[in-house]
Amino acid sequence: MGRRCLVGCVVAVLLWSVASAQLRYSISEEINEGTVVGNVAKDLGLDKNALKHRKYRIVSSAPEPLFYVDVNNGILYVRKKIDREEVCERSNTCMVNLKIVLENPLEMHYVGVEVLDVNDHSPMFPEKEKTLEISESVLPGARIPLQAARDSDVGVFSVQQYKLSPSDYFRLDVRDKGEDGKIPVLIVQKSLDRETKGSHSLVLTAVDGGKPPKSGEIIITVNVLDVNDNAPVFSKDIYSVRLDENAPAGTTVIQVNATDLDDGPNGDLVYSFSNSVNRELFKLFEINPSTGEIAVKALIDYEDKDKYEIEIQAEDKGLAPLATQKSVIIQIVDVNDNAPEIEVTSFSSSIPEDSRPGTTVALISVNDLDTGLNGKVICSIEEDVPFALSPSVKDKMFSLVTKSPLDREKQSHYDLTITAKDAGQPPLSSEKTISVVVSDVNDNTPEFLLSPYTFYVTENNEPGASVFLVKASDRDENENAHISYHIVRDVREGNKMASFLNINSENGDIVALKSFDFETVKTFQFHVVATDSGTPSLSSNVTVNVFILDQNDNPPVILYPLSSNGSAQGVEEIPRNVNAGHLVTKVRAYDPDIGYNGWLLFSLQEHTDHSLFGLDRYTGQIRTLRSFTETDEAEHKLVILVKDNGNVSLSATATVVVKLVEPKEAFAASDVKSAAKKDDEDTNVTFYLMITLGSVSVLFLISIIVLIAMQCSKSTDYTSKYLQEANYDGTLCHSIQYRSGDKRYMLVGPRMSTGSTIVPGSHANTLVLPDRRRMSEEVGLCLCVNIWLVCGGSVLFFICS
């Protein structure tokens, strides 16, 4: 049993010796990928044909192994470039240990790969540049340690020596710190002077032991720190400047400049007035402690003092400050600093508009505190005003006078700007504005808004009511423009209608004291005078033409059948054997109104048999509509309504009794009746004819007088003509023709002329007649009156003037 145990132990040792082996290879860093490290299978005595079957591989915990093995030949290769400084930082020996495993049976072998260093890194300083500050008072031999350079390589490839660029003031010493390497030390070998050379630039170079060697460098700047060993020095020996008087506060007078060779606080200077300066100067001048700029603090007046001498000093900020004093001379220059002063010694703020040219408005004096040319003053006023400045005998005195006539209505107020300018360089000037009011005089007559006035008044107006208004204006003001009105009442002119009018003297409102009757007066004329309240007063007059417009205030008047006992009734006898269309009789009527108010229409109001008689609505003719029969009654009563065409129409009625008689009776009766009737008719016609002729004559004379007066008082573009007409069919109508501008108007009744046309917008009964005569031919005046009276015959009156 002990023998069996020994054999087992030997086997175990043999198995261990076979299953584990240690190989070691060496390679240089930075070799290319795929470089052969060694044939591991051959060196271990493994069958390369069984490597794949036994799963020959490297076991590694690294995410990206540095090496790999080929299962076909057992060779170890480099997977990627190896940076020794990255794999083995700060280590003199860099060993990478690998585990190679095979299965069936299990074997594990250890392979060590040493990565050898190459000189692939240069020495490097922690900074590219380094600044040192050394006082200029430091003694020679002073040592200043510097930062050492570092090299990632090891051994001879690390930093071996340091070099310093040549310098008269510094040298280099190197101390060996063993494992910490070599430390460079800067030594001062000569005294430093900042004023001579305030900065030194050195180059420190570190060199390794490679072949060829690599190196790195750092730039060392040595700044020499100052000590306060220099006093301030001004840039000039004498400071002198000229300053204009009245320079505004803040104006720079001069800027002094001093320098100090020292640095830092020792070279920073503060400027100030020295203690010997009079304290009054501190009120006039100030100095900027940082810049040395002297500025004006208050008003400088040449008349007070023409020269100032100020002592200033520059002092550094050292611990033991050094100061230097210097004088500044300020010469004050006189300038034209006083503008002329304008004073109005006497002034009339209001001047009448009728003042003659040369009238004095104000006395003006000017003064300038300067002398010489600076005190010589020229006074002027703008040229576009009717005023001028006239020099006085006394120096610097002027008179403001009118140079042309004034007109308050064109301009009632003037703001006059007087300018006084001296002869200095540059000149100074001042202005003064005075206000002159042009007072009014009564030099304008009242002016009516229209001339002449034309008014249209409807008849039957209410007495005491305003009918028209005239208005005048006056360009003057106050009392000179206060206008009162009155109507000219001159009985000698035959203008009696003016006595029925009253005018409001304040506003020109005209009131009629009575009602107008168109049938009595159709037009009249009067004059209104407008008078202002000035002294003396001025006045003007205007002609007022008044046209009376007709109203439907007259009912129709029945001329036939004749009226008796308040009613118009007549009896007509006609033979029973008359044919249709036989004229039974004709109802005749007229209306004193005109136009539509006098346009009459006839209608049957009552009749016994509507099939027997017919009435012409325009002529009033009654005719039979058919032949009579034996059954027709012997007597028929017809009531005829005569109505005008006014807005509110008026009417009258006439009764005609028609009796049917046998033909023989009719002839006998007609002979007897015709004789009597003829006598009555002759008497009636004569009576009516006399009345009509008298009325027409009166109207004609009045019209002639009015029209002649209007024709003479109006311009050629305004005429008025009148024409009375009678309807040819027996219905009397009144009509008026008149002209306004280039149009002729006619107020008509029924059966208007076919050449007439209605003017839109005019009165309802106003027509425009074609004007067949040019305005140049309107020299004369023609008034025609036609009167038609049909009563068993006709009479024609034609009067032309």
Side-chain angles (χ1 to χ4, degrees):
M1 181 159 182
R3 184 179 180 180
R4 184 181 297 175
C5 178
L6 179 60
V7 172
C9 291
V10 172
V11 172
V13 172
L14 291 175
L15 290 173
W16 176 84
S17 62
V18 174
S20 177
Q22 178 72 41
L23 295 178
R24 183 169 180 174
Y25 301 98
S26 63
I27 61 172
S28 296
E29 64 174 331
E30 304 294 339
I31 61 175
N32 296 328
E33 299 176 2
T35 303
V36 176
V37 179
N39 194 331
V40 177
K42 180 180 179 182
D43 293 339
L44 292 176
L46 301 175
D47 183 5
K48 65 178 181 179
N49 295 324
L51 293 178
K52 188 174 183 179
H53 175 70
R54 296 184 63 186
K55 298 181 180 180
Y56 177 69
R57 68 185 185 277
I58 294 177
V59 179
S60 174
S61 60
E64 295 183 4
L66 300 176
F67 304 94
Y68 71 94
V69 293
D70 190 343
V71 296
N72 294 319
N73 54 25
I75 297 175
L76 180 66
Y77 295 94
V78 176
R79 181 183 293 275
K80 65 178 183 177
K81 282 187 176 183
I82 299 174
D83 185 359
R84 179 187 177 281
E85 286 72 32
E86 181 181 350
V87 177
C88 304
E89 184 179 5
R90 298 293 179 187
S91 177
N92 291 330
T93 302
C94 183
M95 183 68 69
V96 179
N97 294 314
L98 305 175
K99 295 178 181 180
I100 297 177
V101 178
L102 295 96
E103 297 182 0
N104 299 321
L106 178 64
E107 293 184 23
M108 182 178 293
H109 301 280
Y110 295 93
V111 177
V113 180
E114 181 181 6
V115 181
L116 301 178
D117 187 28
V118 295
N119 192 21
D120 58 345
H121 293 85
S122 299
M124 295 182 62
F125 287 94
E127 299 175 331
K128 295 292 184 182
E129 296 180 0
K130 178 68 176 178
T131 301
L132 300 177
E133 292 183 345
I134 302 175
S135 174
E136 66 177 331
S137 62
V138 70
L139 298 177
R143 299 172 64 87
I144 300 97
L146 303 176
Q147 287 183 330
R150 292 289 181 262
D151 196 324
S152 299
D153 297 325
V154 295
V156 296
F157 298 140
S158 63
V159 177
Q160 299 299 315
Q161 62 176 328
Y162 290 94
K163 298 178 181 179
L164 184 66
S165 60
S167 174
D168 296 335
Y169 295 90
F170 301 96
R171 65 182 178 85
L172 185 66
D173 184 24
V174 180
R175 297 172 57 188
D176 192 350
K177 288 289 188 175
E179 293 183 356
D180 293 336
K182 295 177 174 58
I183 305 299
V185 179
L186 187 65
I187 300 176
V188 179
Q189 65 179 6
K190 183 179 178 181
S191 296
L192 303 177
D193 186 3
R194 193 201 66 79
E195 287 73 34
T196 302
K197 190 172 184 179
S199 178
H200 300 268
S201 181
L202 306 174
V203 178
L204 179 62
T205 305
V207 184
D208 62 17
K211 293 182 180 181
K214 295 182 180 293
S215 62
E217 62 183 26
I218 182 175
I219 298 175
I220 299 174
T221 301
V222 179
N223 293 328
V224 182
L225 299 180
D226 182 53
V227 294
N228 195 17
D229 56 350
N230 292 279
V233 177
F234 281 95
S235 60
K236 292 182 179 180
D237 292 335
I238 298 176
Y239 285 98
S240 180
V241 67
R242 293 169 63 86
L243 175 66
D244 292 340
E245 66 170 329
N246 300 325
T251 300
T252 299
V253 180
I254 193 174
Q255 184 175 9
V256 298
N257 184 41
T259 58
D260 194 317
L261 297 177
D262 295 324
D263 192 21
N266 298 327
D268 293 340
L269 302 181
V270 177
Y271 300 93
S272 63
F273 295 136
S274 67
N275 294 329
S276 63
V277 174
N278 189 334
R279 306 307 297 179
E280 292 296 324
L281 293 180
F282 285 83
K283 299 178 181 179
L284 300 177
F285 302 97
E286 60 182 356
I287 186 170
N288 190 311
S290 300
T291 63
E293 187 179 78
I294 299 176
V296 176
K297 188 177 182 181
L299 184 66
I300 307 297
D301 192 355
Y302 174 83
E303 286 72 26
D304 291 341
K305 193 172 183 179
D306 61 353
K307 182 181 179 181
Y308 295 92
E309 184 173 352
I310 306 174
E311 187 176 74
I312 61 172
Q313 73 174 12
E315 185 179 43
D316 62 29
K317 297 181 180 179
L319 294 177
L322 301 176
T324 303
Q325 288 79 32
K326 188 68 66 177
S327 292
V328 177
I329 298 174
I330 302 176
Q331 187 72 41
I332 306 302
V333 179
D334 186 22
V335 296
N336 185 24
D337 59 340
N338 292 288
E341 297 178 356
I342 303 174
E343 182 181 359
V344 180
T345 58
S346 179
F347 174 52
S348 298
S349 60
S350 180
I351 181 170
E353 63 177 321
D354 59 350
S355 300
R356 294 181 178 181
T359 302
T360 301
V361 179
L363 295 178
I364 298 169
S365 63
V366 293
N367 187 33
D368 196 318
L369 297 178
D370 297 322
T371 59
L373 291 177
N374 294 338
K376 185 175 179 60
V377 180
I378 300 173
C379 208
S380 63
I381 191 173
E382 59 262 39
E383 297 181 356
D384 57 345
V385 293
F387 298 91
L389 284 175
S390 176
S392 178
V393 176
K394 187 177 180 181
D395 189 25
K396 297 183 180 181
M397 288 290 294
F398 299 88
S399 298
L400 178 65
V401 298
T402 59
K403 69 177 181 179
S404 60
L406 304 176
D407 188 354
R408 188 205 65 83
E409 286 69 39
K410 292 183 178 179
Q411 187 168 349
S412 61
H413 179 268
Y414 292 90
D415 289 324
L416 304 177
T417 301
I418 301 171
T419 302
K421 184 193 302 188
D422 60 28
Q425 292 297 328
L428 297 179
S429 63
S430 60
E431 294 181 349
K432 189 175 187 66
T433 300
I434 61 176
S435 295
V436 178
V437 176
V438 180
S439 61
D440 185 47
V441 296
N442 193 23
D443 57 348
N444 290 280
T445 59
E447 295 179 1
F448 283 94
L449 300 182
L450 296 174
S451 181
Y453 278 94
T454 299
F455 297 106
Y456 297 89
V457 182
T458 304
E459 66 173 331
N460 300 322
N461 55 294
E462 182 180 352
S466 174
V467 287
F468 27 78
L469 175 72
V470 295
K471 194 69 177 178
S473 61
D474 197 312
R475 296 174 61 194
D476 296 321
E477 64 177 0
N478 300 329
E479 291 300 319
N480 295 332
H482 185 266
I483 299 174
S484 61
Y485 304 89
H486 71 275
I487 297 175
V488 178
R489 308 182 189 277
D490 192 350
V491 181
R492 292 176 300 174
E493 296 182 1
N495 190 3
K496 297 181 180 180
M497 294 303 297
S499 61
F500 299 107
L501 300 175
N502 193 16
I503 188 169
N504 188 319
S505 61
E506 295 296 326
N507 57 24
D509 190 15
I510 299 176
V511 176
L513 303 178
K514 61 169 288 185
S515 295
F516 299 115
D517 186 7
F518 175 81
E519 288 71 32
T520 303
V521 177
K522 294 178 175 55
T523 180
F524 63 90
Q525 184 183 82
F526 64 96
H527 300 280
V528 175
V529 177
T531 305
D532 60 29
S533 300
T535 304
S537 62
L538 300 177
S539 63
S540 62
N541 61 75
V542 68
T543 300
V544 181
N545 298 309
V546 182
F547 292 92
I548 311 300
L549 301 180
D550 182 44
Q551 272 192 336
N552 191 23
D553 57 346
N554 291 283
V557 177
I558 305 298
L559 296 179
Y560 181 82
L562 297 177
S563 299
S564 62
N565 299 324
S567 62
Q569 185 171 352
V571 178
E572 293 291 338
E573 293 181 351
I574 61 174
R576 186 180 283 272
N577 61 348
V578 296
N579 297 324
H582 175 74
L583 176 62
V584 178
T585 187
K586 180 177 182 179
V587 178
R588 295 177 178 85
Y590 80 98
D591 195 315
D593 298 319
I594 67 169
Y596 288 99
N597 296 331
W599 187 359
L600 302 182
L601 295 177
F602 301 84
S603 63
L604 282 173
Q605 188 75 10
E606 296 180 12
H607 49 83
T608 55
D609 190 344
H610 64 83
S611 64
L612 283 178
F613 302 98
L615 176 66
D616 190 306
R617 65 178 303 180
Y618 297 109
T619 64
Q621 292 179 350
I622 302 174
R623 294 181 182 272
T624 58
L625 296 178
R626 61 178 176 83
S627 300
F628 295 101
T629 63
E630 295 181 356
T631 59
D632 292 328
E633 296 181 0
E635 184 173 311
H636 298 273
K637 181 180 179 181
L638 303 178
V639 178
I640 292 88
L641 176 66
V642 182
K643 182 173 65 173
D644 59 28
N645 278 272
N647 289 332
V648 179
S649 61
L650 303 177
S651 61
T653 59
T655 303
V656 177
V657 178
V658 181
K659 293 182 179 181
L660 302 181
V661 298
E662 295 301 326
K664 294 180 180 180
E665 297 177 1
F667 293 143
S670 61
D671 292 339
V672 177
K673 188 183 295 184
S674 61
K677 189 173 183 180
K678 185 175 180 180
D679 294 337
D680 294 338
E681 285 183 355
D682 291 341
T683 304
N684 292 335
V685 169
T686 302
F687 175 74
Y688 288 120
L689 183 57
M690 292 176 65
I691 294 176
T692 303
L693 286 176
S695 300
V696 169
S697 299
V698 173
L699 291 176
F700 172 73
L701 291 175
I702 294 174
S703 300
I704 289 298
I705 294 171
V706 172
L707 290 176
I708 291 174
M710 291 175 61
Q711 188 72 12
C712 296
S713 62
K714 293 182 181 179
S715 59
T716 57
D717 63 344
Y718 180 86
T719 59
S720 176
K721 302 182 180 181
Y722 300 89
L723 178 64
Q724 275 192 330
E725 294 181 353
N727 196 330
Y728 69 92
D729 59 5
T731 301
L732 294 180
C733 300
H734 296 276
S735 63
I736 296 178
Q737 300 182 34
Y738 61 92
R739 178 183 302 277
S740 177
D742 59 350
K743 296 182 179 180
R744 296 176 62 209
Y745 297 88
M746 181 176 71
L747 305 179
V748 299
R751 298 296 176 91
M752 295 173 289
S753 173
T754 56
S756 303
T757 55
I758 297 178
V759 177
S762 64
H763 298 289
N765 56 357
T766 303
L767 304 179
V768 179
L769 296 182
D771 190 2
R772 295 183 175 86
R773 293 181 301 170
R774 303 186 60 86
M775 295 298 295
S776 60
E777 299 173 356
E778 294 182 358
V779 179
L781 174 67
C782 182
L783 176 65
C784 298
V785 179
N786 298 332
I787 302 177
W788 290 78
L789 295 177
V790 181
C791 183
S794 63
V795 179
L796 171 62
F797 290 89
F798 180 84
I799 305 173
C800 184
S801 173

